[in-house]
Amino acid sequence: MTNKLEVHNLTHTFNGGNTVHVLDGLSLDVADGEFVTLLGPSGSGKSTIFNLIGGLYRPDSGDISIDGTRVNGTRGNISYLPQQDSLLPWRTIEDNVTLVQEITGTVDKETAHKWLKRAGLEGYEKSYPSTLSGGMRQRVAFIRSLLSPQELMLLDEPFGALDELTRLDMQDWLLKIWEMDRRSVLFITHSIEEAIYMSDRILILSEKPARIAREIEVPFERSRNHDIILDESFTKLKREIYHMLRAGDEDD
């Protein structure tokens, strides 16, 4: 597999009233078509990593490459799905989904309708976001991300605001849709169970200044369903990751 994303020896510091060293020699990669999750304590720099990859910040040192091209400090190279759906309330579902296409000048409503149908949203094309449930809104936001031309997707806790049952449904739905398209994904979550269930690999971050403390290959084959979380091997891996995270806290 070729690497879609390569991050090498990244360091970053915020200089304000207090100097905060956020990243220290962080390196990671995401292969073409791979689903990789960042897992770590709150405040460990996960969102900063996303902002650096997305070009909102420029690192103090190190390199970020997408498809072999160095992209430090440049925008427009990734598709981004934030914690909140960020749908525009005055635009219909159809118009929200095609927003990125409008910006690039390549609107394809036929493809948009096809993906909305796959997302279980057929018949809602002319509806407005306020009429949809939280899970449905996140589906719209994910389809909008899929229709952007960038092959690398950054997903920043997209299910964090949902109730538990909706979150489980959305995990299954996202994996089903993702397996149709196989974009390269870098995913943020605070949930160990979600990280195992969704991912090919899990990268565990240390406390600040963050680096990759551990890398875990998830051993479960795809396609997956939630019966796997009751499997003894799943529970064992969840327990091991929990102790890794706790050990990191104690080291500090």
mmCIF file of all heavy atoms in Angstrom, residues 172-208:
data_model
loop_
_atom_site.group_PDB
_atom_site.id
_atom_site.type_symbol
_atom_site.label_atom_id
_atom_site.label_comp_id
_atom_site.label_asym_id
_atom_site.label_seq_id
_atom_site.Cartn_x
_atom_site.Cartn_y
_atom_site.Cartn_z
ATOM 1 N N ASP A 172 -21.886 1.714 12.573
ATOM 2 C CA ASP A 172 -22.157 0.687 11.568
ATOM 3 C C ASP A 172 -22.410 1.316 10.204
ATOM 4 O O ASP A 172 -21.907 0.836 9.173
ATOM 5 C CB ASP A 172 -23.381 -0.142 11.978
ATOM 6 C CG ASP A 172 -23.057 -1.156 13.063
ATOM 7 O OD1 ASP A 172 -21.882 -1.517 13.213
ATOM 8 O OD2 ASP A 172 -23.986 -1.580 13.765
ATOM 9 N N TRP A 173 -23.187 2.399 10.204
ATOM 10 C CA TRP A 173 -23.510 3.057 8.936
ATOM 11 C C TRP A 173 -22.251 3.614 8.277
ATOM 12 O O TRP A 173 -22.031 3.420 7.079
ATOM 13 C CB TRP A 173 -24.518 4.186 9.175
ATOM 14 C CG TRP A 173 -24.806 4.939 7.927
ATOM 15 C CD1 TRP A 173 -25.678 4.608 6.945
ATOM 16 C CD2 TRP A 173 -24.151 6.138 7.497
ATOM 17 N NE1 TRP A 173 -25.619 5.535 5.936
ATOM 18 C CE2 TRP A 173 -24.688 6.477 6.245
ATOM 19 C CE3 TRP A 173 -23.174 6.953 8.057
ATOM 20 C CZ2 TRP A 173 -24.277 7.604 5.545
ATOM 21 C CZ3 TRP A 173 -22.762 8.074 7.350
ATOM 22 C CH2 TRP A 173 -23.310 8.390 6.119
ATOM 23 N N LEU A 174 -21.410 4.298 9.052
ATOM 24 C CA LEU A 174 -20.217 4.900 8.470
ATOM 25 C C LEU A 174 -19.290 3.836 7.895
ATOM 26 O O LEU A 174 -18.753 3.999 6.788
ATOM 27 C CB LEU A 174 -19.475 5.734 9.517
ATOM 28 C CG LEU A 174 -18.321 6.591 8.985
ATOM 29 C CD1 LEU A 174 -18.195 7.876 9.792
ATOM 30 C CD2 LEU A 174 -16.990 5.846 9.027
ATOM 31 N N LEU A 175 -19.099 2.724 8.613
ATOM 32 C CA LEU A 175 -18.237 1.665 8.096
ATOM 33 C C LEU A 175 -18.802 1.072 6.802
ATOM 34 O O LEU A 175 -18.049 0.780 5.864
ATOM 35 C CB LEU A 175 -18.050 0.568 9.142
ATOM 36 C CG LEU A 175 -17.131 0.907 10.314
ATOM 37 C CD1 LEU A 175 -17.032 -0.285 11.255
ATOM 38 C CD2 LEU A 175 -15.738 1.319 9.842
ATOM 39 N N LYS A 176 -20.117 0.906 6.744
ATOM 40 C CA LYS A 176 -20.741 0.372 5.537
ATOM 41 C C LYS A 176 -20.514 1.301 4.348
ATOM 42 O O LYS A 176 -20.132 0.853 3.251
ATOM 43 C CB LYS A 176 -22.238 0.165 5.775
ATOM 44 C CG LYS A 176 -22.992 -0.375 4.570
ATOM 45 C CD LYS A 176 -24.470 -0.517 4.884
ATOM 46 C CE LYS A 176 -25.253 -0.985 3.652
ATOM 47 N NZ LYS A 176 -26.717 -1.100 3.927
ATOM 48 N N ILE A 177 -20.733 2.593 4.561
ATOM 49 C CA ILE A 177 -20.539 3.560 3.482
ATOM 50 C C ILE A 177 -19.056 3.673 3.129
ATOM 51 O O ILE A 177 -18.682 3.728 1.952
ATOM 52 C CB ILE A 177 -21.110 4.940 3.891
ATOM 53 C CG1 ILE A 177 -22.631 4.864 4.065
ATOM 54 C CG2 ILE A 177 -20.743 6.009 2.867
ATOM 55 C CD1 ILE A 177 -23.400 4.563 2.806
ATOM 56 N N TRP A 178 -18.195 3.698 4.150
ATOM 57 C CA TRP A 178 -16.757 3.815 3.906
ATOM 58 C C TRP A 178 -16.235 2.642 3.079
ATOM 59 O O TRP A 178 -15.399 2.815 2.192
ATOM 60 C CB TRP A 178 -16.016 3.898 5.244
ATOM 61 C CG TRP A 178 -14.519 3.831 5.116
ATOM 62 C CD1 TRP A 178 -13.684 4.823 4.678
ATOM 63 C CD2 TRP A 178 -13.687 2.709 5.406
ATOM 64 N NE1 TRP A 178 -12.375 4.378 4.687
ATOM 65 C CE2 TRP A 178 -12.352 3.094 5.132
ATOM 66 C CE3 TRP A 178 -13.931 1.423 5.882
ATOM 67 C CZ2 TRP A 178 -11.281 2.226 5.308
ATOM 68 C CZ3 TRP A 178 -12.862 0.558 6.064
ATOM 69 C CH2 TRP A 178 -11.552 0.960 5.773
ATOM 70 N N GLU A 179 -16.732 1.443 3.345
ATOM 71 C CA GLU A 179 -16.263 0.269 2.614
ATOM 72 C C GLU A 179 -16.663 0.306 1.134
ATOM 73 O O GLU A 179 -16.053 -0.373 0.307
ATOM 74 C CB GLU A 179 -16.764 -1.002 3.290
ATOM 75 C CG GLU A 179 -16.013 -1.284 4.602
ATOM 76 C CD GLU A 179 -16.573 -2.442 5.392
ATOM 77 O OE1 GLU A 179 -17.596 -3.023 4.946
ATOM 78 O OE2 GLU A 179 -16.007 -2.772 6.447
ATOM 79 N N MET A 180 -17.658 1.122 0.788
ATOM 80 C CA MET A 180 -18.015 1.300 -0.625
ATOM 81 C C MET A 180 -17.016 2.187 -1.344
ATOM 82 O O MET A 180 -16.880 2.134 -2.571
ATOM 83 C CB MET A 180 -19.402 1.956 -0.739
ATOM 84 C CG MET A 180 -20.554 1.133 -0.224
ATOM 85 S SD MET A 180 -22.103 2.092 -0.405
ATOM 86 C CE MET A 180 -23.278 1.000 0.422
ATOM 87 N N ASP A 181 -16.317 3.036 -0.593
ATOM 88 C CA ASP A 181 -15.496 4.100 -1.190
ATOM 89 C C ASP A 181 -14.019 3.977 -0.832
ATOM 90 O O ASP A 181 -13.138 4.317 -1.608
ATOM 91 C CB ASP A 181 -16.029 5.462 -0.731
ATOM 92 C CG ASP A 181 -15.389 6.611 -1.455
ATOM 93 O OD1 ASP A 181 -15.761 6.864 -2.618
ATOM 94 O OD2 ASP A 181 -14.513 7.262 -0.865
ATOM 95 N N ARG A 182 -13.733 3.516 0.405
ATOM 96 C CA ARG A 182 -12.382 3.259 0.897
ATOM 97 C C ARG A 182 -11.460 4.473 0.785
ATOM 98 O O ARG A 182 -10.333 4.384 0.292
ATOM 99 C CB ARG A 182 -11.760 2.069 0.180
ATOM 100 C CG ARG A 182 -12.326 0.739 0.632
ATOM 101 C CD ARG A 182 -11.693 0.274 1.923
ATOM 102 N NE ARG A 182 -12.289 -0.983 2.385
ATOM 103 C CZ ARG A 182 -11.760 -1.772 3.308
ATOM 104 N NH1 ARG A 182 -10.627 -1.415 3.889
ATOM 105 N NH2 ARG A 182 -12.371 -2.875 3.684
ATOM 106 N N ARG A 183 -11.941 5.628 1.231
ATOM 107 C CA ARG A 183 -11.043 6.766 1.386
ATOM 108 C C ARG A 183 -10.046 6.466 2.506
ATOM 109 O O ARG A 183 -10.306 5.639 3.379
ATOM 110 C CB ARG A 183 -11.830 8.031 1.753
ATOM 111 C CG ARG A 183 -12.842 8.486 0.731
ATOM 112 C CD ARG A 183 -12.214 9.228 -0.417
ATOM 113 N NE ARG A 183 -13.244 9.650 -1.361
ATOM 114 C CZ ARG A 183 -13.753 10.875 -1.413
ATOM 115 N NH1 ARG A 183 -13.356 11.795 -0.554
ATOM 116 N NH2 ARG A 183 -14.664 11.180 -2.311
ATOM 117 N N SER A 184 -8.942 7.158 2.500
ATOM 118 C CA SER A 184 -8.011 7.108 3.629
ATOM 119 C C SER A 184 -8.576 7.974 4.734
ATOM 120 O O SER A 184 -8.956 9.112 4.498
ATOM 121 C CB SER A 184 -6.630 7.620 3.209
ATOM 122 O OG SER A 184 -6.117 6.841 2.148
ATOM 123 N N VAL A 185 -8.631 7.429 5.958
ATOM 124 C CA VAL A 185 -9.281 8.119 7.073
ATOM 125 C C VAL A 185 -8.334 8.208 8.263
ATOM 126 O O VAL A 185 -7.711 7.216 8.657
ATOM 127 C CB VAL A 185 -10.573 7.393 7.501
ATOM 128 C CG1 VAL A 185 -11.132 8.001 8.789
ATOM 129 C CG2 VAL A 185 -11.620 7.449 6.400
ATOM 130 N N LEU A 186 -8.241 9.423 8.842
ATOM 131 C CA LEU A 186 -7.632 9.628 10.150
ATOM 132 C C LEU A 186 -8.751 10.102 11.062
ATOM 133 O O LEU A 186 -9.397 11.113 10.797
ATOM 134 C CB LEU A 186 -6.501 10.650 10.083
ATOM 135 C CG LEU A 186 -5.674 10.820 11.363
ATOM 136 C CD1 LEU A 186 -5.007 9.521 11.774
ATOM 137 C CD2 LEU A 186 -4.626 11.910 11.180
ATOM 138 N N PHE A 187 -8.979 9.351 12.147
ATOM 139 C CA PHE A 187 -10.178 9.481 12.972
ATOM 140 C C PHE A 187 -9.766 9.809 14.401
ATOM 141 O O PHE A 187 -8.793 9.254 14.914
ATOM 142 C CB PHE A 187 -10.915 8.138 12.919
ATOM 143 C CG PHE A 187 -12.230 8.048 13.642
ATOM 144 C CD1 PHE A 187 -13.380 8.569 13.080
ATOM 145 C CD2 PHE A 187 -12.327 7.388 14.858
ATOM 146 C CE1 PHE A 187 -14.602 8.446 13.724
ATOM 147 C CE2 PHE A 187 -13.542 7.252 15.509
ATOM 148 C CZ PHE A 187 -14.686 7.790 14.941
ATOM 149 N N ILE A 188 -10.488 10.728 15.040
ATOM 150 C CA ILE A 188 -10.264 11.038 16.455
ATOM 151 C C ILE A 188 -11.445 10.536 17.272
ATOM 152 O O ILE A 188 -12.599 10.743 16.899
ATOM 153 C CB ILE A 188 -10.111 12.557 16.693
ATOM 154 C CG1 ILE A 188 -8.767 13.066 16.174
ATOM 155 C CG2 ILE A 188 -10.228 12.893 18.176
ATOM 156 C CD1 ILE A 188 -8.598 14.568 16.313
ATOM 157 N N THR A 189 -11.149 9.869 18.382
ATOM 158 C CA THR A 189 -12.173 9.493 19.338
ATOM 159 C C THR A 189 -11.560 9.428 20.729
ATOM 160 O O THR A 189 -10.349 9.271 20.873
ATOM 161 C CB THR A 189 -12.820 8.141 18.978
ATOM 162 O OG1 THR A 189 -13.857 7.844 19.919
ATOM 163 C CG2 THR A 189 -11.795 7.014 19.012
ATOM 164 N N HIS A 190 -12.409 9.547 21.756
ATOM 165 C CA HIS A 190 -11.994 9.309 23.133
ATOM 166 C C HIS A 190 -12.413 7.914 23.598
ATOM 167 O O HIS A 190 -12.098 7.519 24.721
ATOM 168 C CB HIS A 190 -12.609 10.352 24.078
ATOM 169 C CG HIS A 190 -11.929 11.685 24.001
ATOM 170 N ND1 HIS A 190 -12.418 12.724 23.244
ATOM 171 C CD2 HIS A 190 -10.786 12.141 24.578
ATOM 172 C CE1 HIS A 190 -11.611 13.774 23.361
ATOM 173 N NE2 HIS A 190 -10.624 13.444 24.164
ATOM 174 N N SER A 191 -13.134 7.183 22.753
ATOM 175 C CA SER A 191 -13.685 5.890 23.132
ATOM 176 C C SER A 191 -12.766 4.758 22.671
ATOM 177 O O SER A 191 -12.529 4.590 21.465
ATOM 178 C CB SER A 191 -15.079 5.715 22.512
ATOM 179 O OG SER A 191 -15.515 4.378 22.608
ATOM 180 N N ILE A 192 -12.272 3.966 23.610
ATOM 181 C CA ILE A 192 -11.432 2.819 23.266
ATOM 182 C C ILE A 192 -12.227 1.830 22.420
ATOM 183 O O ILE A 192 -11.738 1.317 21.408
ATOM 184 C CB ILE A 192 -10.906 2.128 24.543
ATOM 185 C CG1 ILE A 192 -10.032 3.085 25.346
ATOM 186 C CG2 ILE A 192 -10.127 0.865 24.190
ATOM 187 C CD1 ILE A 192 -9.612 2.547 26.712
ATOM 188 N N GLU A 193 -13.454 1.554 22.822
ATOM 189 C CA GLU A 193 -14.292 0.597 22.102
ATOM 190 C C GLU A 193 -14.528 1.045 20.666
ATOM 191 O O GLU A 193 -14.438 0.248 19.725
ATOM 192 C CB GLU A 193 -15.612 0.414 22.839
ATOM 193 C CG GLU A 193 -16.490 -0.685 22.293
ATOM 194 C CD GLU A 193 -17.689 -0.929 23.184
ATOM 195 O OE1 GLU A 193 -17.503 -1.508 24.272
ATOM 196 O OE2 GLU A 193 -18.808 -0.525 22.793
ATOM 197 N N GLU A 194 -14.825 2.333 20.488
ATOM 198 C CA GLU A 194 -15.052 2.864 19.143
ATOM 199 C C GLU A 194 -13.787 2.767 18.304
ATOM 200 O O GLU A 194 -13.836 2.413 17.119
ATOM 201 C CB GLU A 194 -15.525 4.313 19.235
ATOM 202 C CG GLU A 194 -15.859 4.940 17.893
ATOM 203 C CD GLU A 194 -16.564 6.268 18.047
ATOM 204 O OE1 GLU A 194 -15.877 7.276 18.353
ATOM 205 O OE2 GLU A 194 -17.795 6.300 17.872
ATOM 206 N N ALA A 195 -12.649 3.059 18.906
ATOM 207 C CA ALA A 195 -11.378 2.989 18.179
ATOM 208 C C ALA A 195 -11.120 1.574 17.668
ATOM 209 O O ALA A 195 -10.735 1.379 16.504
ATOM 210 C CB ALA A 195 -10.234 3.437 19.088
ATOM 211 N N ILE A 196 -11.336 0.581 18.512
ATOM 212 C CA ILE A 196 -11.106 -0.809 18.094
ATOM 213 C C ILE A 196 -12.087 -1.203 17.005
ATOM 214 O O ILE A 196 -11.714 -1.803 15.990
ATOM 215 C CB ILE A 196 -11.234 -1.765 19.297
ATOM 216 C CG1 ILE A 196 -10.189 -1.444 20.363
ATOM 217 C CG2 ILE A 196 -11.084 -3.219 18.847
ATOM 218 C CD1 ILE A 196 -10.377 -2.208 21.665
ATOM 219 N N TYR A 197 -13.344 -0.869 17.205
ATOM 220 C CA TYR A 197 -14.393 -1.297 16.283
ATOM 221 C C TYR A 197 -14.212 -0.704 14.885
ATOM 222 O O TYR A 197 -14.439 -1.377 13.878
ATOM 223 C CB TYR A 197 -15.757 -0.906 16.841
ATOM 224 C CG TYR A 197 -16.912 -1.419 16.020
ATOM 225 C CD1 TYR A 197 -17.152 -2.783 15.896
ATOM 226 C CD2 TYR A 197 -17.765 -0.543 15.356
ATOM 227 C CE1 TYR A 197 -18.209 -3.262 15.134
ATOM 228 C CE2 TYR A 197 -18.824 -1.001 14.603
ATOM 229 C CZ TYR A 197 -19.038 -2.369 14.491
ATOM 230 O OH TYR A 197 -20.087 -2.829 13.732
ATOM 231 N N MET A 198 -13.769 0.552 14.814
ATOM 232 C CA MET A 198 -13.731 1.250 13.537
ATOM 233 C C MET A 198 -12.437 1.031 12.751
ATOM 234 O O MET A 198 -12.436 1.119 11.526
ATOM 235 C CB MET A 198 -13.899 2.763 13.773
ATOM 236 C CG MET A 198 -15.159 3.173 14.506
ATOM 237 S SD MET A 198 -16.664 2.956 13.560
ATOM 238 C CE MET A 198 -16.520 4.304 12.376
ATOM 239 N N SER A 199 -11.333 0.746 13.423
ATOM 240 C CA SER A 199 -10.009 1.011 12.853
ATOM 241 C C SER A 199 -9.288 -0.206 12.289
ATOM 242 O O SER A 199 -9.530 -1.351 12.690
ATOM 243 C CB SER A 199 -9.103 1.628 13.921
ATOM 244 O OG SER A 199 -9.745 2.678 14.595
ATOM 245 N N ASP A 200 -8.340 0.092 11.392
ATOM 246 C CA ASP A 200 -7.310 -0.868 11.005
ATOM 247 C C ASP A 200 -6.121 -0.784 11.954
ATOM 248 O O ASP A 200 -5.527 -1.796 12.314
ATOM 249 C CB ASP A 200 -6.818 -0.593 9.573
ATOM 250 C CG ASP A 200 -7.918 -0.745 8.549
ATOM 251 O OD1 ASP A 200 -8.601 -1.795 8.571
ATOM 252 O OD2 ASP A 200 -8.108 0.168 7.734
ATOM 253 N N ARG A 201 -5.775 0.453 12.344
ATOM 254 C CA ARG A 201 -4.697 0.689 13.306
ATOM 255 C C ARG A 201 -5.127 1.767 14.294
ATOM 256 O O ARG A 201 -5.898 2.654 13.940
ATOM 257 C CB ARG A 201 -3.411 1.171 12.604
ATOM 258 C CG ARG A 201 -2.576 0.089 11.985
ATOM 259 C CD ARG A 201 -1.214 0.615 11.517
ATOM 260 N NE ARG A 201 -1.354 1.630 10.494
ATOM 261 C CZ ARG A 201 -0.715 2.806 10.506
ATOM 262 N NH1 ARG A 201 0.087 3.127 11.521
ATOM 263 N NH2 ARG A 201 -0.876 3.661 9.513
ATOM 264 N N ILE A 202 -4.584 1.674 15.504
ATOM 265 C CA ILE A 202 -4.820 2.683 16.535
ATOM 266 C C ILE A 202 -3.470 3.264 16.948
ATOM 267 O O ILE A 202 -2.531 2.510 17.241
ATOM 268 C CB ILE A 202 -5.521 2.079 17.762
ATOM 269 C CG1 ILE A 202 -6.886 1.501 17.364
ATOM 270 C CG2 ILE A 202 -5.694 3.138 18.860
ATOM 271 C CD1 ILE A 202 -7.533 0.667 18.459
ATOM 272 N N LEU A 203 -3.389 4.591 16.982
ATOM 273 C CA LEU A 203 -2.182 5.296 17.425
ATOM 274 C C LEU A 203 -2.502 5.955 18.756
ATOM 275 O O LEU A 203 -3.399 6.788 18.841
ATOM 276 C CB LEU A 203 -1.762 6.350 16.401
ATOM 277 C CG LEU A 203 -1.557 5.851 14.958
ATOM 278 C CD1 LEU A 203 -1.185 7.014 14.055
ATOM 279 C CD2 LEU A 203 -0.504 4.761 14.896
ATOM 280 N N ILE A 204 -1.766 5.556 19.792
ATOM 281 C CA ILE A 204 -2.000 6.094 21.125
ATOM 282 C C ILE A 204 -1.029 7.235 21.374
ATOM 283 O O ILE A 204 0.192 7.077 21.267
ATOM 284 C CB ILE A 204 -1.831 4.998 22.197
ATOM 285 C CG1 ILE A 204 -2.889 3.917 21.987
ATOM 286 C CG2 ILE A 204 -1.949 5.591 23.601
ATOM 287 C CD1 ILE A 204 -2.816 2.784 22.984
ATOM 288 N N LEU A 205 -1.600 8.392 21.697
ATOM 289 C CA LEU A 205 -0.800 9.581 21.954
ATOM 290 C C LEU A 205 -0.394 9.650 23.420
ATOM 291 O O LEU A 205 -1.156 9.273 24.314
ATOM 292 C CB LEU A 205 -1.596 10.842 21.611
ATOM 293 C CG LEU A 205 -1.851 11.134 20.130
ATOM 294 C CD1 LEU A 205 -2.837 12.275 20.009
ATOM 295 C CD2 LEU A 205 -0.570 11.468 19.405
ATOM 296 N N SER A 206 0.798 10.186 23.641
ATOM 297 C CA SER A 206 1.233 10.499 25.000
ATOM 298 C C SER A 206 0.600 11.811 25.439
ATOM 299 O O SER A 206 -0.058 12.501 24.656
ATOM 300 C CB SER A 206 2.757 10.613 25.040
ATOM 301 O OG SER A 206 3.177 11.769 24.309
ATOM 302 N N GLU A 207 0.817 12.161 26.710
ATOM 303 C CA GLU A 207 0.464 13.491 27.176
ATOM 304 C C GLU A 207 1.343 14.526 26.470
ATOM 305 O O GLU A 207 2.357 14.197 25.851
ATOM 306 C CB GLU A 207 0.669 13.595 28.693
ATOM 307 C CG GLU A 207 -0.280 12.721 29.512
ATOM 308 C CD GLU A 207 -1.647 13.367 29.717
ATOM 309 O OE1 GLU A 207 -1.851 14.489 29.208
ATOM 310 O OE2 GLU A 207 -2.491 12.744 30.378
ATOM 311 N N LYS A 208 0.959 15.825 26.552
ATOM 312 C CA LYS A 208 1.768 16.883 25.947
ATOM 313 C C LYS A 208 3.145 16.975 26.615
ATOM 314 O O LYS A 208 3.237 16.808 27.838
ATOM 315 C CB LYS A 208 1.056 18.241 26.081
ATOM 316 C CG LYS A 208 -0.108 18.401 25.155
ATOM 317 C CD LYS A 208 -0.476 19.866 24.963
ATOM 318 C CE LYS A 208 -0.992 20.502 26.218
ATOM 319 N NZ LYS A 208 -2.400 20.217 26.482
#
